[in-house]
Amino acid sequence: MKEKIADNTIIVGCGRLGAELAGALSDAGRSVLILDKEEVAFRKLPLSFGGLAVAGDGGDLDVLRQAGIEQADTLIAVTNDDNVNILIAQTARELFHIPHIIARLYDPERECVYRELGIATICPTQLSAREIDKLLSLPREAIA
Amino acid sequence: MKKRVLLVGGRRKARSLALSLLKRGYQVTAVNSDRDDCRKLAELEKLNVICGDGTKPFVLEDAGAEGQDIAIALTPKDADNLVICELCKKRFHIRRTVALVSDPQKTAFFRKMGIDRVVCAISAITGIIEQQAFLEQMENVIPVGEGRVNVLEVAVPVNSPAAGKTLVELDLPREVIVGCVLRDDAVMIPWGDTAIWANDLLVLIVASGKESEAISALVGKGACGL
C-alpha cells in the first residue's frame, strides 16, 4: 500500500535548498507551492518542477493567505535569514495551525526560541559536523 | 537599584530613547550591528554600547541581557525584533519585553508570542496624523491601552451647544467619559449634574473612534471636518 502523503506543501525561500526540495517533492507527487521575494530565484527550479511558484514576501500574512496557507499540511521555511524562518514558522504554527513545520537555521543557538513550539529544525552546521565526524571515524582506506 | 534597560537596534530611535532614559536615571545598554551607529551612540555619556547582531544569543550575553529589567527591540525588521524579544524572554529571563513592529497585521501575533508590549509605528503615526489633520478641537491626545482608548483635552467654545448644560443633559456617546473639568484655576471631577460652561477645558476619556462624536456634542456639529 502506498504511504499517504500530505498533499499541500508550501516552501518559503527559493534558494538552492528550497529549489531542490521543491523539485524533489513535486517529483514525489506532492502538490508544492514555492514562495520567494525575488522572481529571478525561480530560475533555480528544476525543469521537471510541476508546482506553483509565487513571488511575494513569505513574512507577509496576506501573501501567505493568498498562497493558501490555510489549506496547507506542511510548511518549510528555508529563506537565507534565520529570523525570517523563525517568524514564518511561528506564524504557521500559531496563526494557521499547520501540522508539519520545518525550518532551516544556520545558527543552532537560537533553537531555544521555538523548541517548545513543536517546530522541527534543520541546522546545516550540525549536519555537516556530524557527517565529517562520521567520515573521520571510518578507517582511512574507506574514505578514499 | 537602578532599573536596567537594554535597547537593541535602531539608529535615531535608540539614540533619543537612550538619551531620555539616561536622563531619568536608568542604566542603559545599547546593542547595534552597525559600527557607525555604535560610534554615534557611544558619544552619549554613561551609555554602554555593544557592537554586534542582537538577534544572536552570544551578543545579548555580552550585553549583560541576563540582568536587565526591560528589553526594547527597535530594528527595522519585524522578524529580528521578534527573535530578539523571544531570546530576551526565554533565554535571558527579562521580565518585560517591548518590540517595534512595522507591519500592523503582526501586532496581535507578537503579543501572542509573549512579547509584553508591541508598538506599531505605522498605526501610531497614522493615528496621530489623522487626529492632527481632522480634529483641530483636540488640544492634546494621549493614546492608552495600545491606542484603543484616548485621553484628550477639548475646549468648550462660547457658541457651544453644550454650554450651560449638565453632563446628563448632554448627548454624549456611552464610550465617552468627561474625567475632569478645568475652569479658571479650579480642577473639578464632574458628576452627572455638573454643568459645562463656555471656556471650560474638558479632559475626556474616549474609546478610539468615538472622538468626533464626542467633539461634535461638546463643540458643535460639523466642527471636526470628518
Side-chain angles (χ1 to χ4, degrees):
Chain A
M1 201 180 87
K2 227 183 156 187
E3 205 185 335
K4 188 183 177 286
I5 47 174
D7 234 326
N8 294 311
T9 302
I10 293 181
I11 299 174
V12 187
C14 192
R16 280 177 303 244
L17 180 58
E20 188 173 327
L21 208 53
L25 293 179
S26 100
D27 286 349
R30 291 187 191 225
S31 120
V32 179
L33 184 144
I34 188 159
L35 266 175
D36 198 291
K37 266 200 263 194
E38 305 288 337
E39 219 160 323
V40 286
F42 298 132
R43 278 197 247 163
K44 296 188 203 90
L45 287 168
L47 283 174
S48 64
F49 177 65
L52 288 168
V54 177
D57 180 358
D60 187 320
L61 302 182
D62 285 336
V63 170
L64 287 174
R65 279 193 199 100
Q66 274 160 20
I69 193 165
E70 273 134 338
Q71 286 82 45
D73 306 287
T74 306
L75 179 125
I76 304 171
V78 286
T79 73
N80 58 5
D81 185 326
D82 276 12
N83 297 336
V84 170
N85 291 342
I86 293 173
L87 176 97
I88 292 168
Q90 288 185 350
T91 49
R93 167 69 74 222
E94 294 297 314
L95 299 183
F96 301 111
H97 312 290
I98 307 289
H100 291 120
I101 301 167
I102 302 164
R104 185 256 310 267
L105 288 179
Y106 290 111
D107 183 355
E109 272 213 70
R110 295 194 185 103
E111 209 194 323
C112 67
V113 170
Y114 44 79
R115 194 182 296 137
E116 60 230 56
L117 287 172
I119 294 163
T121 57
I122 297 290
C123 174
T125 324
Q126 283 176 337
L127 293 178
S128 312
R130 215 174 294 152
E131 280 305 304
I132 289 170
D133 199 44
K134 229 187 268 171
L135 289 176
L136 286 175
S137 63
L138 292 174
R140 194 163 289 178
E141 313 82 75
I143 298 178
Chain B
M1 213 182 88
K2 271 189 183 179
K3 274 229 176 205
R4 302 175 63 183
V5 183
L6 182 67
L7 303 177
V8 187
R11 178 191 295 248
R12 296 215 186 92
K13 288 183 204 88
R15 194 183 145 87
S16 80
L17 199 52
L19 205 60
S20 124
L21 291 171
L22 287 166
K23 220 180 270 173
R24 281 192 274 159
Y26 289 89
Q27 191 179 323
V28 187
T29 306
V31 176
N32 199 304
S33 53
D34 186 287
R35 285 215 153 261
D36 287 335
D37 288 354
C38 282
R39 228 169 267 139
K40 209 80 198 117
L41 285 165
E43 290 169 7
L44 297 182
E45 215 180 321
K46 286 196 206 145
L47 177 67
N48 303 319
V49 181
I50 302 285
C51 191
D53 178 355
T55 71
K56 294 202 164 120
F58 71 90
V59 173
L60 291 174
E61 206 174 311
D62 284 350
E66 191 72 59
Q68 305 280 347
D69 300 299
I70 306 170
I72 306 174
L74 299 166
T75 80
K77 282 160 83 185
D78 288 352
D80 290 359
N81 290 341
L82 176 73
V83 169
I84 290 162
C85 285
E86 291 190 322
L87 282 172
C88 284
K89 194 115 219 168
K90 291 183 180 164
R91 178 134 177 198
F92 298 104
H93 314 107
I94 298 178
R95 292 248 318 270
R96 193 171 173 80
T97 52
V98 182
L100 192 67
V101 56
S102 53
D103 178 1
Q105 280 202 47
K106 294 203 184 87
T107 313
F109 166 65
F110 273 45
R111 289 294 309 266
K112 206 171 174 194
M113 298 316 296
I115 298 170
D116 301 287
R117 279 286 176 268
V118 184
V119 179
C120 179
I122 292 181
S123 309
I125 290 169
T126 48
I128 291 169
I129 292 174
E130 259 174 51
Q131 285 162 358
Q132 297 296 331
F134 297 113
L135 304 174
E136 300 152 8
Q137 283 73 20
M138 290 188 213
E139 295 279 329
N140 213 339
V141 180
I142 305 161
V144 292
E146 296 180 325
R148 282 181 296 167
V149 179
N150 285 306
V151 177
L152 49 104
E153 281 176 37
V154 177
V156 180
V158 180
N159 58 359
S160 156
K165 286 190 187 160
T166 63
L167 283 185
V168 275
E169 288 167 341
L170 285 177
D171 196 17
L172 281 175
R174 288 182 59 86
E175 297 86 349
V176 177
I177 285 179
V178 178
C180 194
V181 178
L182 296 118
R183 183 175 299 157
D184 302 324
D185 292 335
V187 177
M188 296 180 288
I189 305 298
W191 294 80
D193 56 3
T194 305
I196 303 294
W197 294 1
N199 299 321
D200 279 354
L201 193 60
L202 310 179
V203 178
L204 307 185
I205 302 166
V206 187
S208 177
K210 291 286 175 183
E211 294 88 350
S212 47
E213 249 180 90
I215 287 176
S216 51
L218 292 166
V219 176
K221 290 259 182 270
C224 345
L226 267 180

